Amino acid sequence: MKRFFVFAAAVASLFALSCDKYDKYEEDIIIDWAPIVMNIYLGDYSGNDLLDQNSETAVDLSNLVVRYEGEEHPLGETLLSSGEPTVGTRAYLARFGFISLERDAEGKVYLRIGEWDAINRWQDCSIELDWGFATDVLSFSSDYTYDPKHRNNGDKNWGYTFHRTAYLNGELVYDGNSRVLVYHIDHDAPIVDWMPIEMIVYARDEEGNNLLNKNTEGHFDAEQIVVRYEGNEYRVKNVSTLYILPEETSVFIYYDNNNELLLWIGEWDAFLQCENCSLEIDWGNGTTDVLSFSSDYAYDPKYRFDSDKNWGYTFHRTAYLNGEQIYDGSSATLNYELVK
């Protein structure tokens, strides 16, 4: 159900008095001050409107929570247009709890939060805005002076002079007299250090003995192992670190968490899109194996802030050993179990 409010700058209690009588008796004007509200715009550094639910860049607001004075308030369902009234009657009593999406005259969507009584004095009044992927603290202070000699003079704001300041995460963003406090918040999607694609290769004999272990009869000679990939040959490296930027294919032999030796081959960029990307392992004893994989991904920008949704990415990888599919899933670590 829509809520209809009327923001009146002032309401004169004229009753049945004529203009002459009003001037004669100089009755005071009753001021119906419009309440203080926060208008919050959310964007990214590319200029996208993240609150416009009609845009593919919009964030998911289902988890949005406003925390104020120990209570949590969810987003309402109303989307109001610019100029549509938001208050119900004169002599309106402001109260907190109106949270809605609205669209301004330029078509941008903002989050409206309110209300606070304009005639109260507020000092560091704050709310916590939990978007579900980040939290912002919005606060304001409001004070005023009153000169009774101008109490009936609209040109002098009926004797009132307001002063308001607004803060975003402790930083001053407004200093003036407006009752509408505007906050512009920019959030860019987090930089995710995606794990590169890698091959983990176990080679065992039919009895399950590890053929990379020198104590196993018939083990492979690490110095004779060659990996052929895209016309290049790679041999086992003996280095102290295993981290290599995903720009060069490298080969290592090392122990896993169960103290079993494996052959590590990598790395490929997590965003590599390839079909049947393959390499050949020459074990140095006259036998070879072909290892291949396919990798692709989809991206939904509306979840780019949501770690529970993998920041909007859905990966799909398949692995093959000598042409036979052995894995279908999303992992960047592809395990190959070879029996030689």
Side-chain angles (χ1 to χ4, degrees):
M1 181 177 65
K2 291 188 176 180
R3 299 186 300 269
F4 295 94
F5 301 157
V6 175
F7 284 153
V11 178
S13 292
L14 301 180
F15 302 103
L17 297 175
S18 68
C19 292
D20 290 339
K21 287 183 178 180
Y22 180 82
D23 293 337
K24 179 179 180 180
Y25 292 108
E26 294 185 348
E27 289 200 28
D28 290 341
I29 293 176
I30 298 174
I31 311 298
D32 189 12
W33 294 107
I36 299 170
V37 296
M38 293 179 173
N39 288 354
I40 300 128
Y41 291 83
L42 182 67
D44 61 20
Y45 293 107
S46 299
N48 294 307
D49 182 354
L50 303 187
L51 294 179
D52 189 345
Q53 300 301 293
N54 295 325
S55 169
E56 67 172 8
T57 63
V59 297
D60 181 8
L61 295 177
S62 61
N63 295 319
L64 175 67
V65 173
V66 178
R67 299 187 180 96
Y68 177 62
E69 293 188 336
E71 296 185 359
E72 294 190 348
H73 304 265
L75 172 66
E77 298 181 354
T78 304
L79 176 59
L80 300 174
S81 301
S82 175
E84 190 172 345
T86 53
V87 181
T89 124
R90 294 179 176 181
Y92 178 73
L93 179 62
R95 61 184 179 88
F96 186 84
F98 295 108
I99 303 171
S100 63
L101 289 178
E102 304 191 11
R103 193 179 296 275
D104 66 16
E106 297 179 354
K108 287 192 173 183
V109 177
Y110 61 92
L111 183 67
R112 179 186 183 275
I113 300 177
E115 299 161 330
W116 292 269
D117 197 311
I119 208 65
N120 281 2
R121 288 183 167 91
W122 303 93
Q123 182 63 36
D124 294 328
C125 180
S126 67
I127 66 168
E128 184 179 78
L129 195 54
D130 188 342
W131 300 99
F133 55 83
T135 300
D136 292 295
V137 176
L138 286 62
S139 60
F140 72 92
S141 295
S142 179
D143 202 355
Y144 63 90
T145 59
Y146 176 62
D147 188 343
K149 72 184 179 191
H150 298 302
R151 62 186 181 276
N152 294 321
N153 189 344
D155 293 336
K156 296 290 186 179
N157 208 35
W158 297 277
Y160 287 86
T161 301
F162 291 97
H163 180 220
R164 283 138 186 171
T165 52
Y167 299 83
L168 173 60
N169 297 320
E171 181 179 347
L172 179 67
V173 294
Y174 177 76
D175 189 343
N177 58 20
S178 176
R179 69 171 188 87
V180 179
L181 306 176
V182 179
Y183 300 79
H184 290 274
I185 303 175
D186 289 320
H187 284 297
D188 254 359
I191 298 174
V192 181
D193 188 12
W194 293 103
M195 182 177 177
I197 302 170
E198 60 184 13
M199 291 180 172
I200 301 297
V201 184
Y202 290 92
R204 305 182 182 94
D205 62 21
E206 292 182 354
E207 285 74 39
N209 300 306
N210 191 296
L211 292 174
L212 295 174
N213 191 322
K214 293 181 179 180
N215 296 322
T216 299
E217 183 178 352
H219 70 273
F220 297 132
D221 182 353
E223 294 183 358
Q224 300 301 316
I225 297 175
V226 176
V227 174
R228 300 186 180 97
Y229 175 64
E230 292 189 338
N232 296 313
E233 292 190 348
Y234 302 87
R235 295 181 180 271
V236 174
K237 293 185 177 181
N238 182 19
V239 294
S240 59
T241 177
L242 297 179
Y243 179 75
I244 304 215
L245 291 174
E247 297 176 354
E248 176 185 356
T249 301
S250 300
V251 184
F252 299 94
I253 291 178
Y254 68 93
Y255 288 95
D256 66 10
N257 293 333
N258 296 318
N259 208 33
E260 183 178 4
L261 285 168
L262 58 85
L263 186 70
W264 179 93
I265 305 174
E267 298 167 322
W268 292 267
D269 193 286
F271 295 104
L272 174 67
Q273 293 175 295
C274 73
E275 185 69 28
N276 291 324
C277 180
S278 67
L279 55 82
E280 181 185 71
I281 302 179
D282 185 336
W283 296 102
N285 65 350
T287 66
T288 61
D289 289 287
V290 176
L291 283 59
S292 59
F293 70 91
S294 297
S295 180
D296 200 358
Y297 68 92
Y299 176 60
D300 189 338
K302 72 172 175 282
Y303 296 120
R304 64 193 179 282
F305 297 101
D306 191 343
S307 60
D308 292 335
K309 297 288 189 179
N310 210 34
W311 296 279
Y313 288 91
T314 302
F315 293 96
H316 182 218
R317 281 118 184 189
T318 52
Y320 302 85
L321 174 59
N322 296 319
E324 181 180 349
Q325 182 174 313
I326 58 172
Y327 175 76
D328 187 348
S330 60
S331 177
T333 301
L334 307 175
N335 287 287
Y336 298 81
E337 305 273 348
L338 281 69
V339 177
K340 305 293 290 181

